């Protein structure tokens, strides 16, 4: 039987993998993007910039970019929450490593893990909310100009990572990961009749 720490570690690593894929979206790799539009021969938007397909041009990889008048720079700077969430998720996974390697009951790493996983969830949820608002408004602006636009795979990867972090944060916060019993009988107690 797997320990709760191992299950939380695996879920945390899975969320970390998804967040890394979202973070290194366009312009790092053009396979992952938040929004695609056929304006200017095709444009894909990511966390750190956008790429024009027709000209084979990508913006410099920097925090905050602007695609006038559809994408506004202040909202694209908030997308830095994805790398922050990935960093907090990595920290949470590293906190669980000593717990999995030891058979002794350590109380302090679980509290740190609960704080890290909850912080990572809040950062990912905030980033996802801004992403949905930003690229939904952008998509409607493209449609108003007569161009087609559609969501890319990074939106759904971010949703999956946020949902997975919610499960991990709730599990860590509610005590399942810390060995909470939730009304179950302790393993070391035995009734004799």
């Amino acid at each position: 039987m797997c320990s709760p720490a191992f299950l939380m570690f695996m879920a945390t690593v899975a969320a970390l993998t998804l967040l890394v894929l979202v973070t290194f979206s366009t312009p790092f790799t053009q396979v992952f993007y938040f929004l695609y539009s056929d304006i200017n021969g095709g444009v894909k938007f990511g966390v750190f910039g956008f790429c024009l397909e027709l000209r084979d041009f990508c913006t410099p990889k920097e925090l905050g970019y602007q695609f006038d008048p559809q994408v506004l720079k202040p909202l694209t700077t908030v997308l830095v929450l994805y790398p922050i969430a990935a960093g907090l998720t990595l920290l949470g996974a590293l906190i669980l490593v000593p717990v999995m390697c030891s058979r002794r009951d350590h109380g302090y790493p679980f509290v740190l893990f609960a704080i890290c996983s909850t912080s990572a969830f809040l950062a990912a949820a905030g980033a996802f909310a801004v992403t949905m608002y930003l690229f939904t408004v952008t998509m409607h602006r493209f449609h108003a100009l007569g161009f087609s636009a559609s969501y890319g795979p990074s939106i759904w990867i971010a949703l999956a990572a946020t949902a997975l972090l919610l499960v991990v944060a709730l599990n860590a916060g509610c005590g399942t990961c810390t060995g909470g019993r939730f009304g179950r009988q302790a393993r070391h107690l035995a009734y004799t009749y």
Side-chain angles (χ1 to χ4, degrees):
M1 184 171 157
C2 294
S3 72
F6 179 73
L7 295 175
M8 287 296 97
F9 178 75
M10 293 307 295
T12 304
V13 169
L16 174 64
T17 303
L18 294 174
L19 286 171
V20 167
L21 289 176
V22 170
T23 299
F24 291 106
S25 60
T26 302
F28 291 100
T29 177
Q30 293 191 28
V31 175
F32 301 110
Y33 54 91
F34 289 111
L35 185 74
Y36 173 81
S37 178
D38 61 355
I39 192 170
N40 294 335
V43 62
K44 294 179 179 179
F45 297 95
V47 172
F48 291 108
F50 62 89
C51 291
L52 300 171
E53 288 185 336
L54 185 63
R55 294 187 220 157
D56 200 27
F57 166 78
C58 292
T59 59
K61 298 164 185 77
E62 62 185 7
L63 184 62
Y65 58 89
Q66 194 160 348
F67 191 84
D68 284 329
Q70 290 82 11
V71 180
L72 302 175
K73 187 174 185 173
L75 288 179
T76 59
T77 56
V78 179
L79 296 179
V80 74
L81 288 175
Y82 283 119
I84 291 172
L88 289 169
T89 306
L90 175 64
L91 183 62
L94 292 176
I95 288 172
L96 285 180
V97 170
V99 175
M100 292 186 323
C101 296
S102 173
R103 294 183 78 53
R104 292 184 12 219
D105 184 27
H106 301 286
Y108 68 91
F110 290 118
V111 174
L112 293 175
F113 175 70
I115 292 169
C116 280
S117 63
T118 303
S119 301
F121 164 70
L122 291 174
F128 182 72
V130 169
T131 299
M132 286 305 296
Y133 175 76
L134 172 67
F135 291 113
T136 300
V137 169
T138 302
M139 184 169 49
H140 289 301
R141 288 180 179 178
F142 282 132
H143 288 166
L145 293 173
F147 297 103
S148 68
S150 61
Y151 292 128
S154 289
I155 292 270
W156 312 118
I157 294 172
L159 176 62
T162 303
L164 195 54
L165 282 174
L166 174 64
V167 170
V168 168
L170 286 176
N171 196 340
C174 291
T176 302
C177 187
T178 62
R181 298 287 178 217
F182 293 119
R184 293 178 278 141
Q185 178 183 356
R187 291 184 191 143
H188 64 280
L189 294 178
Y191 293 106
T192 54
Y193 294 101

